Amino acid sequence: MHVHLIALLLSGLLLAQAGPTDTLVEGEGTKVPEPPKEKIDPAQAAADQAAQLFLQALLEGKADRLSQLGGDPFSFSGKRIEGAEAIQATWKKLLPTIKRELPEEDQGQMQVVDYAQAEKRFGKPPAKLDALKLSRCKFAIVQFQKRPGFVMIVQPQAKGEWVVVGIED
């Protein structure tokens, strides 16, 4: 009985020593801090999601979905196309070639970076992209194992939304 009482008192002391964010390792009485919570940047999360949805539509070859998800105007390797119908028609023209070149078994790997990181990796952007105000943009770098990759230009819009406004080889 005394042993149980002493054990109960000791466990109460150990619990009292642990702060609200500490947990105890069972049986040892050692404080172990909880892992730090990762802070999520809402702008980065929104840009990531916009790029991921766009890439999925591209891999599926869906011109209508690409037109809905992409910005208007849209930059196809620096060639600016305006109007939903013209953008969708351009996608319909380009998708057969793109689908033929994209390996089915390799869905690609994507990394979304900011302007400074993209400039460090690729150098100064070409002048043909000046109209996109690139310093505000994020860049979804898509790489494949068996084919050259490409970059999707993701731009902030109203209400914290991001949209892909261009694609560049």
Side-chain angles (χ1 to χ4, degrees):
M1 168 113 171
H2 291 297
V3 173
H4 291 293
L5 186 56
I6 292 172
L8 185 60
L9 287 171
L10 284 176
S11 64
L13 285 173
L14 291 173
L15 286 173
Q17 289 176 353
T21 61
D22 293 334
T23 57
L24 294 175
V25 174
E26 192 172 321
E28 294 181 23
T30 306
K31 285 194 253 184
V32 178
E34 288 184 12
K37 293 184 179 176
E38 186 177 331
K39 292 183 181 181
I40 298 173
D41 175 12
Q44 184 69 43
D48 289 348
Q49 182 180 22
Q52 188 62 49
L53 290 171
F54 196 88
L55 177 60
Q56 190 62 42
L58 182 64
L59 293 172
E60 293 172 358
K62 296 183 176 180
D64 58 335
R65 186 78 175 128
L66 289 166
S67 299
Q68 292 169 355
L69 293 170
D72 184 358
F74 194 88
S75 174
F76 293 89
S77 293
K79 183 177 180 186
R80 181 183 164 114
I81 305 292
E82 293 184 38
E85 288 179 18
I87 293 168
Q88 187 170 1
T90 303
W91 278 120
K92 285 181 179 179
K93 182 179 171 185
L94 294 174
L95 279 172
T97 303
I98 293 170
K99 283 293 287 176
R100 204 171 37 249
E101 292 177 357
L102 291 176
E104 296 220 6
E105 69 281 356
D106 183 5
Q107 296 294 299
Q109 293 184 3
M110 184 179 72
Q111 176 187 19
V112 180
V113 300
D114 63 19
Y115 179 78
Q117 292 168 312
E119 187 176 48
K120 183 177 180 180
R121 187 166 175 176
F122 300 110
K124 288 270 186 209
K128 65 184 179 180
L129 300 175
D130 285 348
L132 295 175
K133 299 178 182 152
L134 296 176
S135 62
R136 305 178 329 143
C137 296
K138 295 200 183 276
F139 302 86
I141 302 163
V142 182
Q143 296 176 307
F144 299 95
Q145 290 179 355
K146 298 179 181 178
R147 139 183 223 295
F150 54 88
V151 176
M152 295 184 293
I153 302 163
V154 190
Q155 193 174 68
Q157 304 294 303
K159 301 176 193 163
E161 294 177 17
W162 288 73
V163 65
V164 176
V165 295
I167 192 164
E168 187 71 30
D169 286 334

